[in-house]
Amino acid sequence: MSMMRRAAEFLFTRVLRSRLGIALVIGILVVGVLGAARLVSGLGDPQTGLSQPSEPITTVDPTAGDDGVVGSTTPPSPVSLPGSPPPEQIADRFTAAWLGGRDGGTDEWHAALRPLSTPELTEELAGADPAGVPAERTTGEPSLRPRTERFVEVLVPLDSGRLRLELVAPDGQWLVDAVDWERT
């Protein structure tokens, strides 16, 4: 009797309170629940599950041709509304306004940038100070990188780095949507 008592005491005080004991109890419970569910539901017919298709399932017309990478080797040309300035001109105007903010006040700087910016960028620049612009002048010609017909990236070399502008034209009129500056 003493041996049984010691075994039960060891089981309840040491083994079942350890991590290994808890994991063992959880494993036994999971196997028990799954076994009980299997008994209650019955064996069932294996043919009532997923059916085997007679032909492979295709999501693309096999006669449609090459399904490789879509795109062309030539970048798309930016599209502007007739009479509206091209993205290069908007980028030049924005760069001039961005760099020219030190001459006037903050309100004048924001007013100069607003018609060239998307509402989202205007909101982001609301707390910006023109004194924080890290450059004073451009040092070369901007380079245009068309991404799509309605999205271009313009890189402008400056005296202390490089200005990167992202321009969008959702309705055909180009506006600056993002401004980034990199020190070189």
Side-chain angles (χ1 to χ4, degrees), residues 77-171:
S77 298
V79 177
S80 301
L81 283 177
S84 65
E88 298 91 344
Q89 191 174 359
I90 296 296
D92 286 340
R93 288 181 188 171
F94 186 90
T95 303
W98 191 68
L99 293 173
R102 296 174 193 239
D103 300 335
T106 304
D107 292 334
E108 291 84 13
W109 184 63
H110 286 286
L113 295 176
R114 190 172 298 115
L116 305 169
S117 308
T118 61
E120 293 82 12
L121 180 61
T122 301
E123 191 175 309
E124 286 180 33
L125 292 175
D129 184 9
V133 173
E136 295 181 10
R137 60 184 171 80
T138 60
T139 59
E141 291 297 316
S143 64
L144 183 76
R145 293 184 189 171
R147 301 297 186 199
T148 67
E149 292 178 344
R150 304 274 185 214
F151 174 67
V152 298
E153 181 181 51
V154 179
L155 300 172
V156 183
L158 302 174
D159 56 350
S160 61
R162 184 170 64 174
L163 180 65
R164 186 176 66 83
L165 303 174
E166 291 181 1
L167 284 82
V168 295
D171 58 355

